[in-house]
Amino acid sequence: MAATTTSPIHRRGLMLVLSSPSGAGKTTIARGLLDRDAGITMSVSVTTRAMRPGEVEGLDYYFIDQQRFDRMAETGDLLEHARVFGNCYGTPRVAVEDALGAGRDVLFAIDWQGAQQLAQNARDDLVSVFVLPPSVSELERRLRGRGQDSEEVIANRMAKASNEISHWPEYDYVIVNSDVTESIAAVWAILHAERLRRRRQIGLPEFVRSIQDTL
Ligand code: 5GP
């Protein structure tokens, strides 16, 4: 349970989901949020896709083979999983449950399929944010700018962007990522406000009563 230093009020950790079409900037926003806020932990997914140059095992993903992925999915070790761009991705369950149990908030950068699966099991503790690119041309520019994917992969991701974007109404918040610093500030503001929701604050009625009793 997270406790503030100034009050006896606690709360359960919340799950903050960021989704966007590939290249809209959710990974950069996620990193910025982690730098800015010590109370939130990133959920590191497992994936069967090949490691890109510059990626780090255990930081960007846990890179595993299909057999291991299938076993994790079968034994319930994944909180959610989905096939995206022909590869499998999933959220390891234990790390999330441990972080939430310790009163930390958990950040997920996953697709709409994963967001839907998490929502089925954690409605009250889930906050979802959809990140839109400012334009199609900017989305393409960012995908090319990564310089890590082939033309075929880029064309495939552009084609899939439309499908991902069609899920925007399923999210609690939508931001247009025109300026990454502003977007990080916006997502942090969402996180901060959601932490203060009345229903999340365990012990609030007792705290208020203790104030009223002494008035
Ligand atoms: P990339 O291969 O570019 O890192 O990610 C491709 C897509 O897979 C992105 O939309 C990303 O959000 C999504 N993704 C990454 N990890 C997970 C996960 O654990 N679960 C689901 N459902 N999607 C994921």
Side-chain angles (χ1 to χ4, degrees):
M1 295 284 161
T4 63
T5 49
T6 52
S7 85
I9 298 163
H10 305 264
R11 61 177 184 83
R12 285 194 302 274
L14 59 81
M15 301 161 84
L16 181 65
V17 172
L18 291 183
S19 297
S20 73
S22 188
K26 69 178 171 305
T27 309
T28 315
I29 295 171
R31 297 246 160 81
L33 194 66
L34 293 171
D35 283 348
R36 184 171 178 160
D37 193 293
I40 193 159
T41 303
M42 187 82 202
S43 164
V44 180
S45 300
V46 291
T47 182
T48 60
R49 94 152 153 70
M51 192 188 270
R52 292 193 190 117
E55 284 185 328
V56 178
E57 165 77 20
L59 189 68
D60 297 289
Y61 286 104
Y62 295 106
F63 296 91
I64 62 174
D65 62 24
Q66 190 68 51
Q67 201 184 3
R68 176 132 180 252
F69 187 95
D70 292 343
R71 207 166 47 238
M72 288 184 83
E74 271 163 31
T75 53
D77 287 346
L78 300 177
L79 214 45
E80 61 75 33
H81 59 92
R83 182 170 273 276
V84 190
F85 308 128
N87 294 302
C88 292
Y89 296 82
T91 300
R93 178 186 296 277
V94 173
V96 174
E97 289 178 349
D98 285 355
L100 292 175
R104 296 184 60 75
D105 301 315
V106 183
L107 180 61
F108 303 82
I110 60 177
D111 84 330
W112 64 271
Q113 304 174 84
Q116 277 190 358
Q117 291 173 50
L118 290 188
Q120 278 165 13
N121 301 318
R123 191 52 264 176
D124 273 1
D125 293 331
L126 189 87
V127 178
S128 60
V129 181
F130 197 86
V131 181
L132 285 169
S135 66
V136 171
S137 55
E138 179 60 18
L139 183 68
E140 187 168 4
R141 196 188 65 76
R142 289 181 194 170
L143 280 176
R144 288 188 187 288
R146 292 213 282 227
Q148 293 174 345
D149 295 309
S150 67
E151 278 300 314
E152 192 191 339
V153 168
I154 290 170
N156 190 19
R157 285 178 183 228
M158 288 297 288
K160 296 260 168 65
S162 162
N163 179 41
E164 183 78 27
I165 287 174
S166 73
H167 291 276
W168 73 270
E170 297 160 23
Y171 287 73
D172 298 320
Y173 299 89
V174 178
I175 62 169
V176 177
N177 184 24
S178 309
D179 177 288
V180 76
T181 307
E182 274 178 27
S183 297
I184 293 165
V187 176
W188 186 78
I190 291 166
L191 173 65
H192 198 56
E194 288 286 345
R195 283 171 171 163
L196 295 172
R197 265 195 197 275
R198 190 180 63 225
R199 66 176 154 79
R200 293 196 208 289
Q201 301 197 46
I202 300 163
L204 187 59
E206 294 78 8
F207 179 65
V208 174
R209 210 170 307 121
S210 73
I211 291 177
Q212 289 173 323
D213 286 351
T214 52
L215 280 175

